[in-house]
Amino acid sequence: MGIDEAVLQDVEATVAAAQSPAVLAELRQKYPRMAWLRCDALDVDEAPWKTVGLFDLHLVGGDHCPGVVKNPSLATGFILARRA
């Protein structure tokens, strides 16, 4: 499936403007077919795809076992990992 550049830019801009974790609900509504997860940044070992605003953004993908991916063309969603 993959995530195209326009969606990547929109997600980045939306998260950058966010002042609270409520941004997750907004993104879920805007992109309902994508996977959306939220956790603490300390819970994710992998380096983030981007660090934006309150969050580290990780791309997530995989066929039957989801995991963090580096390539947006393999991604099916995001992990928003809140930094302390």
Side-chain angles (χ1 to χ4, degrees):
M1 177 178 155
I3 300 174
D4 68 34
E5 187 63 32
V7 173
L8 292 170
Q9 290 176 3
D10 182 52
V11 168
E12 185 177 353
T14 301
V15 172
Q19 298 299 313
S20 77
V23 68
L24 185 61
E26 178 183 346
L27 290 167
R28 281 183 173 150
Q29 184 175 14
K30 194 170 191 177
Y31 299 105
R33 295 185 181 260
M34 293 176 64
W36 295 100
L37 305 164
R38 188 175 75 94
C39 64
D40 291 329
L42 295 175
D43 293 334
V44 185
D45 293 331
E46 294 84 359
W49 169 69
K50 298 262 180 155
T51 297
V52 182
L54 302 172
F55 298 95
D56 289 338
L57 295 176
H58 299 269
L59 300 170
V60 66
D63 291 329
H64 60 280
C65 279
V68 174
V69 297
K70 294 181 187 275
N71 187 338
S73 68
L74 302 175
T76 57
F78 291 88
I79 298 171
L80 278 68
R82 176 117 189 228
R83 289 180 283 109

